């Protein structure tokens, strides 16, 4: 297949895999729904590769994710819905429409960063309106988003129509209010509800501080993991395990790990 370019070669491989006369039995059994777990898995593997900084791994995992797109495109082509080129062309046109500061007039290309951001939000809001003039601002937010990302999306959409505090200061007050409500909650269901409200408020603070809450929490996870593994390593060198220590001993080791 050396005469093909990369994308053409990949789409041809996919066509062969789905060939009813000689394709792969596993690939022939798949449909849009059955591929979803693999798509989610491949997405997280791309994230891991990028965070590792290993360019060879990034290329490999991006290829696996691209294969998912090619697979969906092949399924759609077989159903007569659309082809891979249709996906690419639609995306190109959408990006051109959303970037008048790049592809538009001279005046549009001289916008400030703040004006570009406002224009971007205005264009996306117009797209949503055209899709469903009577719908909710939340209509096209994926239901299966991780909860933290979904909270950020919901808040951003509400802010796009003016439902938002103009600065972060009231958000601090809201977080303190939610903490107090957690303390005052009695039964388990009420506690869960109030902790949910507290998490939602913290996500709102992240948005006001222009921080991606998912990335921030992931970073905190990795930091916690690294520090605790440092404790495990220190204890291993003494032929000990964390279960051999009381909380004060573990806390002392934790402080050492933080300094390290």
């Amino acid at each position: 297949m050396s005469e093909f370019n990369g994308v053409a070669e990949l789409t041809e491989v996919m066509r062969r895999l789905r060939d009813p006369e000689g394709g792969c039995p596993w690939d022939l059994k798949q449909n849009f729904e059955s591929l979803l777990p693999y798509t989610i898995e491949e997405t997280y593997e791309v994230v891991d590769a990028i965070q590792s900084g290993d360019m060879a791994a990034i290329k490999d995992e991006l290829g696996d994710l691209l294969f998912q797109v090619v697979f969906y495109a092949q399924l759609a082509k077989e159903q007569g819905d659309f082809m891979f080129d249709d996906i690419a062309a639609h995306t190109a046109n959408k990006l051109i429409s959303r970037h008048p500061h790049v592809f538009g007039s001279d005046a549009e290309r001289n916008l400030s960063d703040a004006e570009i951001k406002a224009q971007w939000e205005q264009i996306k809001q117009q797209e949503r309106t055209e899709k469903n003039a009577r719908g909710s601002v939340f209509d096209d937010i994926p239901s299966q988003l991780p909860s933290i990302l979904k909270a950020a999306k919901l808040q951003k959409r509400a802010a796009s129509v003016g439902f938002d505090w103009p600065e972060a200061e009231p958000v601090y007050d809201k977080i303190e209010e939610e903490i107090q409500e957690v303390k005052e909650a009695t039964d388990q269901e009420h506690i869960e509800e109030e902790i949910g409200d507290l998490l939602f408020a913290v996500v709102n603070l992240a948005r006001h501080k222009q921080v991606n809450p998912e990335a921030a929490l992931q970073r905190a996870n990795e930091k916690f993991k690294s520090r605790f593994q440092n404790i495990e390593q220190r204890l291993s060198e003494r032929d000990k395990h964390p279960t051999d220590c009381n909380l004060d001993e573990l806390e002392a080791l934790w402080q050492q790990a933080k300094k390290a």
Side-chain angles (χ1 to χ4, degrees), residues 1 3 6 12 17 23 49 56 59 91 94 106 115 135 145 154 166 172-173 179 182 185 187 201 219 238 249 256-257:
M1 296 184 186
E3 71 272 17
E12 172 62 12
L17 290 172
K59 181 178 75 172
T91 303
K94 183 167 62 176
D106 289 341
E115 289 171 328
L145 272 178
L154 292 169
Y172 291 115
D173 296 335
I179 290 173
V182 170
D187 63 85
R219 184 174 181 179
R238 307 176 200 171
E249 292 171 320
Q256 293 174 27

Side-chain angles (χ1 to χ4, degrees), residues 219-233:
R219 184 174 181 179
N221 287 341
E222 290 303 314
K223 184 165 60 176
F224 179 86
K225 177 183 173 183
S226 175
R227 288 176 179 175
F228 198 83
Q229 287 177 327
N230 181 283
I231 292 174
E232 291 176 318
Q233 178 62 33

Side-chain angles (χ1 to χ4, degrees), residues 172-189:
Y172 291 115
D173 296 335
K174 184 63 175 174
I175 289 173
E176 291 176 3
E177 175 189 323
E178 297 298 350
I179 290 173
Q180 186 59 38
E181 291 181 2
V182 170
K183 291 179 179 179
E184 294 172 358
T186 52
D187 63 85
Q188 194 62 32
E189 184 176 352

Side-chain angles (χ1 to χ4, degrees), residues 93-101 119-120 123-124 127:
N93 290 333
K94 183 167 62 176
L95 290 171
I96 290 170
S97 173
R98 290 180 179 178
H99 292 79
H101 55 285
Q119 184 184 64
W120 171 271
I123 291 169
K124 293 195 71 176
E127 289 175 358

Side-chain angles (χ1 to χ4, degrees), residues 97-101 111 113-129 137 152-153 155-162 207:
S97 173
R98 290 180 179 178
H99 292 79
H101 55 285
L111 297 178
D113 288 351
E115 289 171 328
I116 289 171
K117 182 177 180 181
Q119 184 184 64
W120 171 271
E121 293 300 335
Q122 182 181 4
I123 291 169
K124 293 195 71 176
Q125 181 61 39
Q126 180 62 31
E127 289 175 358
R128 288 192 289 269
T129 301
V137 294
K153 280 273 191 183
Q155 293 168 8
K156 185 177 179 181
R157 288 293 176 83
S160 73
V161 293
R207 185 177 59 84

Side-chain angles (χ1 to χ4, degrees), residues 77-89:
K77 179 181 178 181
E78 292 169 8
Q79 296 172 186
D81 294 320
F82 55 81
M83 300 170 59
F84 182 83
D85 281 351
D86 297 321
I87 298 172

